[in-house]
Amino acid sequence: LDSHRDPTGAETHALKVSVDDHDVLGLHLAVPAKSGPFTGDWKIAASDADLKPFALGHALPAFTAKGQGDFSSDPDGLRPSASGRLVLATDGLRAVAPPLAALGPLTLTTDFDLGRAGDSLRVRKLRLGVVAANPVLNVETLQAFTIHPSDGRVVPSQPGNDIARIGVDRLPLDWIQPWLSGVKITGG
């Protein structure tokens, strides 16, 4: 952890977590001298090997996670926001739950820009893709919207227009079968 305060009272903080001489997590934070939003950025480059010493003997799925982005908030921390890109590649999900073994190797990619105001979540951008041997799932928001968890309302910024596009293509039947007790699905 490295922190500095300049003569005006503005602060910068940097946190770096390293394992075996490579950076796994990096956070930078800038806090202005006068009232105003704080800003920062984040970066992650981690794998199952990096976390194994902290797993206390529990099995971990093989994975790599790489991403980076920005974050900010008002001085009171009531309106945080985060944006960025994260790519997670994994195999061996049997370590999490045996039925997940059917998923095999997969890569999840997400681009996001999210924020919170009070009890509401603001989604400005969200793109999610899941790839196994082929692309399987794609989700992309087409406009910003706000989710109000207290009553379940979703309020789009452009009422009357589509909120998202969801595509499912070549969903492996092996992914579904473990969850269907007593039912056998086949296809060709």
Side-chain angles (χ1 to χ4, degrees), residues 129-143:
V130 177
V131 175
N134 298 297
V136 176
L137 174 69
N138 285 295
V139 177
E140 180 178 7
T141 57
L142 302 175
Q143 62 170 300

Side-chain angles (χ1 to χ4, degrees), residues 54-77:
F54 308 103
L56 303 174
H58 296 283
L60 293 174
F63 77 90
T64 59
K66 293 185 181 192
Q68 64 184 36
D70 301 305
F71 61 89
S72 65
S73 185
D74 62 307
D76 297 324

